[in-house]
């Protein structure tokens, strides 16, 4: 069975229509807040009508604080309910951590975004029409390098082999360079971030995972966020994950929790929680990790491929932006892994944050539409509030 496209594809015009939400000024003073209107129903719909195993969300609101809700099951075998504090694989949200680390190093003069890949990694990106002398670090982060995604070379790989194989970054780059070039000026490629990780390693003398931990994860005290390394397991309390495959012509649900995610590397291997992800994006977009000028560069977007980001989706340096039904755009990233965990982290124009996770890969347009609609509901709906005494 082919590996499905990442959760980015959920934004790509699968008939998503979300109700317009009424805009309203933020209340002042001391308030007690409940869930955004309709959000509980939206998550219950994902696990009920759309039959996904489990869904969980954390909303972080500048006025109201944090709110969580979960529906469905974290473990179908035991019936353990889903919990928004469970760890899970966050997939390509990892890319934003990697981009922030590259930009920190740029802030300190260690990396130049406009120097070539060849400058940092001589001889690595050469052959089959590819030339690292013509690709900059900025283009890696922006997905405009013109490089293919090594994941495409694994599309028909045996699932049992894939979930247990340990890849090296350079092996993944070689796989990508054997593929034909993608079409168009923007192409989503995890290989770009594998190369960015090798640049981090080159200039710091440390593995990229350790440098990202040192600069981002530890200072922010993201205690549930870690690199799995060669382990196929998730430490601590976590949700199981599920995906659908075909066996003897019949679609079956498979547990994909145990998985070696080295194929994602610093482009997709992190394990975290909704709370840690929200804390990371809050620190990043509030200017705690980067200088103002570097953050502005990170947020400077180009049009993405409509088939991946939707007709109005745009991509910065490790950041996605997409329009909201209530006006403005959310900023964040999506992530998924082959084993079934899917995530969307988004920050609205008023600072409200949401990280929505599901522990089963969607298989229908209707379920993907419902997922995107739930995020829009979380960011756009009014939050019922009553003043405290």
């Amino acid at each position: 069975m082919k590996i499905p496209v990442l959760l980015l594809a959920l934004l790509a015009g699968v008939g998503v229509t979300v109700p317009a939400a009424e805009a309203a000024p933020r209340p002042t003073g001391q308030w007690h807040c409940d869930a955004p209107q309709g959000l509980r129903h939206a998550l219950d719909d994902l696990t009920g009508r759309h039959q996904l195993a489990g869904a969980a969300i954390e909303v972080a609101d500048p006025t109201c604080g944090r709110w969580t809700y979960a529906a469905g099951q974290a473990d179908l075998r035991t019936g353990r309910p889903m919990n928004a504090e469970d760890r899970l694989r966050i997939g390509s949200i990892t890319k934003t951590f990697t981009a922030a680390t590259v930009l920190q190093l740029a802030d300190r003069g260690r990396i130049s975004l406009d120097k070539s890949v060849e400058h940092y990694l001589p001889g690595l990106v050469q052959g089959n029409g590819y030339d690292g002398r013509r690709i900059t670090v900025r283009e890696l982060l922006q997905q405009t390098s013109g490089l293919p995604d090594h994941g495409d070379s694994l599309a028909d790989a045996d699932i049992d082999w894939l979930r247990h194989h340990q890849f090296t970054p350079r092996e993944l780059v070689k796989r990508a360079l054997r593929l034909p070039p993608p079409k168009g000026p923007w192409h989503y490629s995890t290989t770009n971030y594998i190369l960015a990780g090798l640049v981090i390693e080159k200039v710091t003398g440390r593995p990229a995972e350790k440098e990202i931990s040192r600069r981002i994860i530890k200072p922010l005290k993201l205690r549930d966020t870690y690199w799995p390394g060669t382990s196929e397991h998730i430490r601590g309390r976590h949700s199981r994950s599920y995906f659908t495959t075909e066996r003897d012509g019949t679609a079956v649900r498979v547990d994909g929790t145990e998985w070696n995610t080295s194929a994602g590397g610093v482009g997709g291997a992190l394990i975290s929680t909704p709370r840690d992800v929200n804390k990371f994006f809050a620190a990043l977009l509030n200017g705690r990790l980067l200088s103002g000028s570097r953050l502005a560069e990170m947020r400077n977007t180009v049009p993405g491929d409509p088939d991946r980001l939707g007709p109005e989706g745009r991509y910065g340096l490790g950041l996605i932006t997409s329009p909201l039904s209530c006006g403005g755009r959310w900023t964040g990233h999506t992530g998924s892994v082959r084993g079934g965990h899917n995530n969307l982290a988004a920050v609205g124009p008023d600072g409200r944050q949401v990280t929505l996770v599901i522990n089963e890969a969607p298989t229908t347009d209707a379920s993907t539409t419902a997922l995107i609609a739930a995020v829009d509901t979380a960011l756009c709906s009014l939050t019922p509030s009553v003043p405290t005494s």
Side-chain angles (χ1 to χ4, degrees):
M1 180 179 177
K2 290 187 177 182
I3 299 174
V5 293
L6 296 175
L7 185 61
L8 287 166
L10 300 186
L11 305 175
V14 290
V16 177
T17 33
V18 289
E22 179 185 354
R26 285 285 181 211
T28 58
Q30 192 175 17
W31 293 80
H32 166 73
C33 302
D34 198 0
Q37 294 173 357
L39 187 52
R40 283 191 177 94
H41 173 75
L43 264 67
D44 289 339
D45 194 49
L46 288 171
T47 59
R49 182 162 62 95
H50 297 291
Q51 299 183 341
L52 297 175
I57 196 166
E58 183 189 83
V59 179
D61 187 279
T63 300
C64 301
R66 297 180 183 273
W67 177 91
T68 64
Y69 182 69
Q73 297 179 354
D75 187 330
L76 294 176
R77 183 180 61 84
T78 66
R80 180 169 60 88
M82 195 75 169
N83 191 307
E85 296 181 358
D86 283 356
R87 291 174 176 170
L88 76 158
R89 303 188 191 278
I90 62 171
S92 285
I93 293 175
T94 305
K95 290 179 172 66
T96 313
F97 285 75
T98 300
T101 301
V102 171
L103 290 165
Q104 269 200 10
L105 291 166
D107 259 336
R108 289 153 179 77
R110 307 281 298 279
I111 291 176
S112 171
L113 297 184
D114 296 312
K115 282 190 175 178
S116 70
V117 172
E118 179 72 13
H119 173 80
Y120 294 104
L121 306 169
L124 182 58
V125 180
Q126 293 294 335
N128 197 25
Y130 301 110
D131 187 350
R133 296 172 299 180
R134 300 178 181 178
I135 300 169
T136 65
V137 175
R138 185 187 307 274
E139 289 169 334
L140 294 178
L141 300 183
Q142 199 176 56
Q143 307 282 17
T144 54
S145 69
L147 293 173
D149 189 337
H150 63 265
D152 291 341
S153 73
L154 301 170
D156 295 313
D158 178 78
I159 292 297
D160 289 333
W161 173 82
L162 182 62
R163 69 189 295 170
H164 301 303
H165 186 75
Q166 177 69 27
F167 294 94
T168 67
R170 289 176 181 265
E171 177 186 357
L172 296 173
V173 173
K174 289 179 180 179
R175 280 183 166 273
L177 297 183
R178 291 196 289 265
L179 297 170
K183 297 178 181 178
W186 187 92
H187 180 73
Y188 188 84
S189 170
T190 297
T191 306
N192 287 325
Y193 278 77
I194 298 298
L195 286 164
L198 290 171
V199 172
I200 293 171
E201 181 177 335
K202 177 74 173 186
V203 302
T204 65
R206 285 180 288 271
E209 291 86 350
K210 289 188 176 181
E211 192 67 13
I212 294 166
S213 294
R214 188 174 78 88
R215 291 180 173 274
I216 306 293
I217 297 171
K218 291 180 180 178
L220 295 181
K221 298 181 180 179
L222 306 180
R223 295 184 176 88
D224 288 307
T225 302
Y226 75 95
W227 299 99
T230 60
S231 175
E232 298 179 0
H233 306 288
I234 302 175
R235 300 198 302 255
R237 191 176 71 180
H238 59 276
S239 62
R240 308 294 296 178
S241 64
Y242 305 93
F243 67 98
T244 300
T245 189
E246 288 188 5
R247 289 179 179 169
D248 299 324
T250 302
V252 294
R253 178 188 266 162
V254 177
D255 189 314
T257 312
E258 278 69 43
W259 205 289
N260 183 315
T261 53
S262 57
V266 296
L270 270 178
I271 290 168
S272 189
T273 61
R275 174 159 293 193
D276 272 8
V277 170
N278 275 343
K279 286 172 64 178
F280 163 68
F281 276 102
L284 176 65
L285 298 179
N286 289 336
R288 289 177 55 194
L289 298 178
L290 302 173
S291 67
S293 60
R294 289 299 178 192
L295 181 57
E297 285 185 88
M298 191 178 198
R299 300 187 71 152
N300 184 29
T301 60
V302 298
D305 181 353
D307 290 337
R308 297 301 295 267
L309 298 186
E312 298 181 67
R314 299 179 66 90
Y315 204 88
L317 305 183
L319 287 173
I320 298 170
T321 72
S322 190
L324 289 163
S325 67
C326 51
R329 305 174 70 88
W330 63 256
T331 299
H333 213 285
T334 61
S336 67
V337 293
R338 181 65 182 87
H341 280 139
N342 286 253
N343 323 255
L344 199 161
V347 183
D350 63 357
R352 183 187 290 182
Q353 295 180 260
V354 56
T355 295
L356 172 62
V357 304
I358 55 175
N359 65 339
E360 182 172 7
T363 58
T364 67
D365 283 355
S367 58
T368 56
T369 298
L371 180 61
I372 298 302
V375 172
D376 192 90
T377 296
L379 292 174
C380 282
S381 294
L382 295 179
T383 303
S385 307
V386 293
T388 59
S389 59

